[in-house]
Structure formats: C-alpha cells, structure tokens
Amino acid sequence: MVFSVNSLGARRDEELIDNGYRTNPSWNTFWDAKATETSTGWSCELRIPFSSLRFEPGEIVTMNFRFERFIKHTNELVIKPLLSTSLDNLEKNMFNSSSLTFKNISGETPVYFTPYVAGIVSQNSTLNSDGTKYVKETEILRGKDYFGNETVDKTLSSAGFDVKYKLDNSNTLDLTLNTDFAQAETDAQVFNLTRYSIFFPEKRQFFLENAGLFSVAMFNHRLFHSRRIGIENGHIVPILGGIRMNGVFKGIQYGLMNMQTNGLAAENIEAKNFSVFRAKKSLKQDDSYIGGIFSNRSSTEGNDYNLQVGVDGIYRLSNSITTTFFGATTYDSDIKKNNNSAFGIGLSKLYQSEGFEFDISTTNYEENFNPEMGFLSIPNSIQSKVNLAYGILMPEDWYVSKMLFGLNNKHYRVSSSNELLNHQSYIYGAFFFRDGGNFHFVAPWYEQDDLDSEWNFSDNTTIPKGRYKTWLYEIYYQSGKTKNYNWFSDIIYGDFFGGKRFNFWTGTNYIFSEKVRSSAEIYYYNIDFPDHFSQNSNKKEDGTILKYWLTYNFAPDLSLKLLSQFNSNSKQIGSNLRLRYNPFEGTDLYVVYNSTINTERTMFNPHLNLIDQQRLFIKFSKTLTL
C-alpha cells in the first residue's frame, strides 16, 4: 500500500501487486495528511489508522516500510532504505524496505456504513413515429425495473448503501445494495485495427478495492475481469447488490465475491449471478506464491452458466529470475466439455539496470476454453513468445543514462488445427535519458497473418482470406519529466493485409499552475487497401480521435475534471465533466454531466439534432462509523 502527499496537501493512495510490477491506483482507504511549507522547504505528516492496514494481530507484529521522495525538477527519486540499485523498478519494488516491529497492537474493527442518494436527468434524441424528425425525450430519475410501480421503482432505485465491517485486523466483509457507478470516469476511445478484443480497465470503485487479490493477470489473459459484471453487450445492467469478503486465514490470503444483476427484458438480457473465489499462499519472503481461482456466472432466469477453475503461481528463483505458470478449465452450458482447458509457463529475467534479460513463455488456450468472467484476447490459440535484450548503463556525465537493444519473437497457432495464425519478429532499441525521457525504435518489424476466412474490416472493406506478409517500422519519443510540460509521439509505417498503413499518435501534458493541468492527444490512422477489397471506389480507410483532459483542483477537497473526445468515424464529440467535493474522508458529492454532440447533422435524412444525448447526474454519499 502506498500513501503519497505533496506540498499542497493533496493525497493519493494506491495498491501494489506482484511486488510493484503491477499497481491499482484506484485503491482507496481511510487516512489523512497535512503539509506545511516553510522558509527551508516543506514537511508533511501522515495519519494512517491501523484499521486501514492489513495485518495479522499478535504480541509482535512486523511490517516492512519504505520512504521516498520524488523531486520533479531534477527527475530525482530519493529512497530510504536503498538496499539495491540493480532493479529498474526501484520506485515500486519492495525489496528496498526495512522492517519495523510493533508490540501488542490491535487495529479497531469499525463498521463503516455509507448510504447514498442520487438523481439523474437525461435527454435523448429519438426518431418520431412517422420517421420525419428527431425529437427530444426527457427522463427524470431512472428506474431499474425492480418493482412493478414506476414511482416506487424510480424512488428506490435512486438510493443504496455500502457496508464495510472489519471482522478483525486481517478480514473484512463488504455489503452493497443497489450498487451505482454513474460517477465513474468515461473510457478513452480507441480504434481497433485487429481481429481480436481490446482490453478496457475497470474504473468502478467497488471492484477496484482489493482488485489485486482477485487478479490473475499473466501472459495474455485475465482469468477474472470485474468489468464482466454489470456490463453486457454494450449495455449497463443494474446491479442489485452483492457481498465481498477478503483477508488472511492461517497464512492464506483469500477473497470471495458474489454479485447479483437484474435483467433487461428490452435487450433480451437475463438476470445473472456472479461468484468468484480467490486464494493465494506466499511461498517465500518475496512475491512468490501459489494460488487458485473459482468463478461462476449463471442465469437466475434460465439454465445458462459458465464455470471456471484454475491455478496459478509465481516463483522467484532469484531477485531477477522468475517463473510463472497457470492452468484453468471452463465448463459452459453452450459449449462442448472437451478441449476446454488452458495452461502456460514462463521464465523471465527482467527489470535489470544492465546486462542480459529475457522473457520466454508458451501458452495454450484450447478451442472450447471460454472464461466469460475473464478476458481472453485471442481464443483458440497456442502462443509462444521469446524476448531477448541487453541493457547498458552509461557514464553518469552522459545525457543518455541507459541503452537497451533486443529481439522479440511471437508465434501464434490455432489450437484446434495447429495452423499458423500470426507470426511476429522484430528488432528494437531504446535510449533512456537523465531527465526521464526516452526514445524507442522498431526496425524492422516482420509479421505474417493467415486468414482462414474473409475479414469484414469495415462496412466498406472486406479483406479476402489468404496469407499476408507485413514489414513495419516504428519510432517513439517521450520528452523528459523535469519541466512543467512533456510530450510524446509514435509513428508506425508499413504494410497492412495487402495494403499500406500509416499511424500517427502524439500527445502533450501541460501544468499551467499548481491547480490546473491539461492533456491532449491525437491518434490518426490511414490504410490504403487494394481496389478489389472495397465495396465502392473508396479504397482508403482512415480515422482520427482527438482527446482533451482538463483538471482544475480548486483545493485538495474540490476538483473538476473534463474529458472531451472527437471520433471522426462516428462524427460525434463526447464529453464527460466531473465535479467532486470531498470535504472529509468518506464524504463525497459528485456532479457529473455527459453529452454527445453530432458534428455532421445534415449527412442524415432527417437531420440529426445538435445534441444527440445529455445527462446530468448528482450523487451524495457519507460514511458513518458505527
């Protein structure tokens, strides 16, 4: 667990996973901090209740601590204690820590009761009955079809609560009723130029807490991904409520969660129950562990179900060499119960300051392996990866602090037929600069794809089946972190399934003042396909996404965030404006405004409204300690 504070008193907490190689920045707990500026510098004081920490009580309790400070204008990280500098992941790796021993401490076991009330006003454009005009329909409050009476349903759908009960210092029970996530941040838009699914991270607070425990994120999959709960076929599905319990029992870390959703009859979505159980046992005083997972998604209105059992583990052979493995099987009501397993093993030596490093792995996702409560980008595939690299530390008086050169080879075959699916080989290099900037290049990048059927790339373009060979080149640059601004650019040029491809991605971050910061990004792609791929004379496919973020921190307890996005393919601008007032830990007021604007109204008949949809959402929650 990480607790951070700056000279203005702004606070941030996050959770470290797998010894800091993965993080959960949305983890949240109860603590406080104050900062003071003086003529000689600044200092801060942190108050962290024992009840906000996870530990097994006893006459003697030993915890490991570390302290660090980041100095932006020199890009300097100060760590105490600094026992080793051989790892690149110095900021997060807990190898650099010292133990503190407490005697006869016991955290409190409070009950946190957090009720909320919410209101929503939404307006949507719909085509009238005779199809001649788009009209605006306004809805005040929103029912979730819990009850037969509309008034009662809207009233009770606008309130709910969470309960957190610390059973003891190691175990916590969470209850939630009418769980609501309307204040969650909007996803950043992307273009999918592949044949496979794209991963979107979880942003809902209830699922982010203790996300590291439930995560089995290794290789090219997640055996559990909480975004599968309450989101189905692009629709937000109401969550009636659920229960979660996590902690430590006889040295075994565990987590249990059960959630129930309501159905959406209009979308032919049945009510479902979601269960997941996770257990991990540490093997050594590092991130080595062996774990198991069980998940089940079942319809409460029919016979549909999807069940998964799995094991996984990490074993660190040394401070730098790590082995990983997993095995899992799924059982599905609609899929045959054979060839329904997955397994993989890997060996890596990574995150070295200098010297040789490697990452080797192989996985097999069989044809009928279907983890519906997880995420699998490329199903029915055998995947092999070999990455070899060598790092060189440069003299301290050089502007370049490190150079890295490597060779990456990826090979994908169809698991059910052993036919080639995709092969990639490329040489890459990277230069890391003293100010935090870096430069990467890939030259060349060779890729081969075998399509066993036509690929409908878009409404206008169909790529015929066959074998496609690709040569690509990529350069990436990110500026340093010592100034109040930084920027990056990424360019990819080469072949793409019989055509030519150009990708350009650039962005900048600018800190206007201690209260105002902004970011902007542009992503553009252009693909020129052969004439016979297109349904009409237009053989080019292109698209642009513009994104703009603005954050205004009026004070540590009051902030305003804006995300505005333009997508050239949808011809729409989407905006998400979030005001948060957090006067005390556990007290929150959210005011959220979402809108979608049509930029080319006259291209349709009848013409579209300027504002396609808009929504104003207000939510107030307050945590009471019982």
Side-chain angles (χ1 to χ4, degrees):
M1 291 165 282
V2 180
F3 303 88
S4 306
V5 61
N6 69 6
S7 60
L8 299 176
R11 296 174 295 128
R12 183 186 69 186
D13 48 22
E14 61 182 325
E15 182 183 33
L16 301 185
I17 307 165
D18 294 339
N19 200 23
Y21 293 119
R22 293 187 293 121
T23 64
N24 175 19
S26 297
W27 175 77
N28 187 37
T29 191
F30 291 90
W31 63 292
D32 200 5
K34 296 292 182 182
T36 302
E37 294 188 27
T38 67
S39 59
T40 58
W42 69 279
S43 64
C44 62
E45 178 182 352
L46 285 71
R47 299 178 59 193
I48 306 171
F50 284 118
S51 59
S52 293
L53 302 176
R54 293 191 291 268
F55 63 94
E56 296 189 65
E59 294 184 3
I60 297 178
V61 176
T62 300
M63 301 184 187
N64 274 38
F65 284 81
R66 61 177 292 176
F67 305 89
E68 66 183 44
R69 180 191 176 197
F70 178 69
I71 306 172
K72 180 177 175 60
H73 67 274
T74 59
N75 191 40
E76 183 179 359
L77 182 66
V78 182
I79 299 174
K80 182 178 178 61
L82 185 59
L83 305 178
S84 172
T85 60
S86 63
L87 299 176
D88 271 350
N89 192 33
L90 288 174
E91 183 180 359
K92 304 295 184 183
N93 194 298
M94 288 302 294
F95 179 80
N96 289 309
S97 63
S98 60
S99 62
L100 293 179
T101 299
F102 300 89
K103 295 183 178 180
N104 299 318
I105 66 167
S106 59
E108 297 179 353
T109 56
V111 177
Y112 298 110
F113 176 65
T114 308
Y116 81 84
V117 292
I120 185 171
V121 178
S122 60
Q123 189 177 78
N124 297 290
S125 294
T126 59
L127 197 61
N128 60 11
S129 57
D130 55 6
T132 59
K133 183 180 180 182
Y134 281 93
V135 296
K136 297 179 180 179
E137 292 186 351
T138 302
E139 181 182 24
I140 301 177
L141 300 181
R142 178 170 296 173
K144 299 180 179 179
D145 297 328
Y146 293 158
F147 309 93
N149 184 284
E150 180 181 0
T151 302
V152 173
D153 183 59
K154 285 189 174 183
T155 302
L156 296 181
S157 296
S158 301
F161 64 82
D162 296 332
V163 176
K164 180 183 293 293
Y165 176 41
K166 296 277 292 187
L167 301 173
D168 54 38
N169 294 318
S170 303
N171 300 277
T172 304
L173 177 69
D174 292 276
L175 300 172
T176 179
L177 182 67
N178 189 28
T179 316
D180 189 275
F181 304 111
Q183 77 275 14
E185 294 185 36
T186 301
D187 288 318
Q189 295 188 30
V190 296
F191 288 126
N192 187 359
L193 302 181
T194 74
R195 295 173 284 161
Y196 312 111
S197 301
I198 289 181
F199 178 81
F200 285 94
E202 177 64 87
K203 296 188 176 183
R204 299 170 296 179
Q205 186 60 47
F206 181 83
F207 295 112
L208 287 170
E209 191 171 349
N210 296 308
L213 170 61
F214 290 97
S215 174
V216 188
M218 54 177 59
F219 304 103
N220 195 31
H221 67 265
R222 289 178 179 247
L223 295 184
F224 173 69
H225 185 34
S226 56
R227 275 186 72 121
R228 300 298 191 191
I229 304 174
I231 302 176
E232 189 169 345
N233 299 332
H235 300 284
I236 303 298
V237 181
I239 298 178
L240 296 173
I243 182 173
R244 179 180 60 204
M245 186 173 177
N246 64 88
V248 178
F249 179 73
K250 294 185 177 181
I252 298 177
Q253 190 178 9
Y254 72 92
L256 171 67
M257 182 163 56
N258 182 274
M259 306 294 292
Q260 178 66 45
T261 63
N262 198 27
L264 292 178
E267 307 298 338
N268 197 28
I269 296 176
E270 296 180 340
K272 294 182 177 65
N273 183 266
F274 299 82
S275 298
V276 58
F277 175 74
R278 172 74 167 144
K280 294 174 65 176
K281 171 66 176 177
S282 296
L283 301 178
K284 300 191 299 178
Q285 293 298 318
D286 52 28
D287 55 336
S288 300
Y289 76 87
I290 185 170
I293 189 170
F294 168 86
S295 65
N296 182 52
R297 180 209 46 78
S298 58
S299 170
T300 54
E301 298 179 345
N303 299 321
D304 180 48
Y305 70 88
N306 179 270
L307 184 148
Q308 175 187 225
V309 292
V311 296
D312 66 289
I314 294 176
Y315 191 81
R316 190 170 289 279
L317 301 175
S318 67
N319 287 336
S320 59
I321 300 179
T322 303
T323 60
T324 56
F325 69 90
F326 88 98
T329 300
T330 60
Y331 302 92
D332 195 286
S333 57
D334 299 325
I335 299 178
K336 295 179 181 179
K337 295 178 177 60
N338 60 341
N339 298 323
N340 56 339
S341 297
F343 47 88
I345 188 170
L347 179 68
S348 62
K349 179 184 179 183
L350 298 175
Y351 308 110
Q352 297 299 291
S353 294
E354 61 180 338
F356 182 66
E357 63 180 51
F358 58 84
D359 187 12
I360 303 170
S361 67
T362 181
T363 56
N364 186 353
Y365 305 99
E366 293 183 337
E367 179 182 10
N368 295 324
F369 179 69
N370 180 37
E372 289 194 3
M373 286 184 64
F375 175 81
L376 177 58
S377 176
I378 308 178
N380 188 22
S381 63
I382 300 173
Q383 307 180 14
S384 301
K385 178 175 70 173
V386 177
N387 181 63
L388 307 174
Y390 191 85
I392 306 171
L393 283 181
M394 310 307 293
E396 291 188 3
D397 57 345
W398 285 38
Y399 179 63
V400 177
S401 62
K402 178 181 177 180
M403 296 189 298
L404 181 71
F405 301 96
L407 171 66
N408 195 300
N409 187 290
K410 299 178 182 178
H411 197 76
Y412 302 86
R413 306 193 75 87
V414 180
S415 180
S416 58
S417 64
N418 204 39
E419 295 177 353
L420 178 66
L421 185 65
N422 173 274
H423 174 79
Q424 303 176 33
S425 293
Y426 55 87
I427 299 172
Y428 64 92
F431 299 87
F432 302 90
F433 308 122
R434 300 270 176 206
D435 63 356
N438 58 85
F439 172 78
H440 296 250
F441 69 87
V442 177
W445 178 341
Y446 173 75
E447 190 164 351
Q448 179 177 311
D449 287 89
D450 281 13
L451 295 182
D452 59 0
S453 61
E454 291 183 342
W455 176 19
N456 294 321
F457 182 81
S458 70
D459 292 338
N460 180 61
T461 302
T462 299
I463 301 175
K465 67 178 183 179
R467 172 165 292 182
Y468 295 90
K469 296 182 179 181
T470 297
W471 290 94
L472 289 170
Y473 301 88
E474 179 179 13
I475 57 172
Y476 173 87
Y477 174 76
Q478 180 178 341
S479 67
K481 304 176 182 178
T482 59
K483 300 179 180 179
N484 62 342
Y485 67 90
N486 61 74
W487 61 276
F488 71 89
S489 285
D490 183 64
I491 298 174
I492 299 176
Y493 177 77
D495 305 317
F496 187 85
F497 289 92
K500 288 294 183 180
R501 168 188 180 183
F502 174 74
N503 281 72
F504 177 68
W505 181 30
T506 188
T508 182
N509 302 295
Y510 193 87
I511 302 175
F512 290 95
S513 69
E514 58 190 24
K515 294 184 177 182
V516 184
R517 64 176 57 206
S518 69
S519 301
E521 288 185 12
I522 301 174
Y523 179 86
Y524 170 77
Y525 77 90
N526 183 292
I527 303 174
D528 190 359
F529 285 109
D531 293 340
H532 64 280
F533 285 18
S534 302
Q535 310 301 321
N536 51 44
S537 58
N538 184 13
K539 63 177 183 176
K540 290 187 177 181
E541 295 278 353
D542 61 2
T544 303
I545 291 179
L546 306 178
K547 305 176 189 177
Y548 180 73
W549 293 265
L550 176 68
T551 301
Y552 194 106
N553 295 302
F554 300 92
D557 58 2
L558 181 63
S559 63
L560 182 69
K561 292 185 177 181
L562 168 69
L563 168 58
S564 186
Q565 305 178 85
F566 167 73
N567 189 319
S568 64
N569 287 354
S570 65
K571 305 295 189 297
Q572 289 184 328
I573 298 175
S575 297
N576 173 241
L577 184 65
R578 302 169 67 246
L579 176 72
R580 182 191 182 192
Y581 179 49
N582 175 226
F584 308 102
E585 192 70 50
T587 300
D588 281 296
L589 173 66
Y590 284 96
V591 180
V592 182
Y593 175 74
N594 293 323
S595 68
T596 303
I597 298 175
N598 294 309
T599 60
E600 295 190 15
R601 303 164 55 195
T602 59
M603 64 182 298
F604 296 94
N605 188 21
H607 294 175
L608 301 175
N609 289 330
L610 176 62
I611 299 179
D612 187 63
Q613 57 181 352
Q614 57 183 334
R615 184 184 69 173
L616 177 65
F617 173 81
I618 301 176
K619 179 180 180 179
F620 176 76
S621 64
K622 183 174 181 60
T623 300
L624 308 173
T625 304
L626 306 180

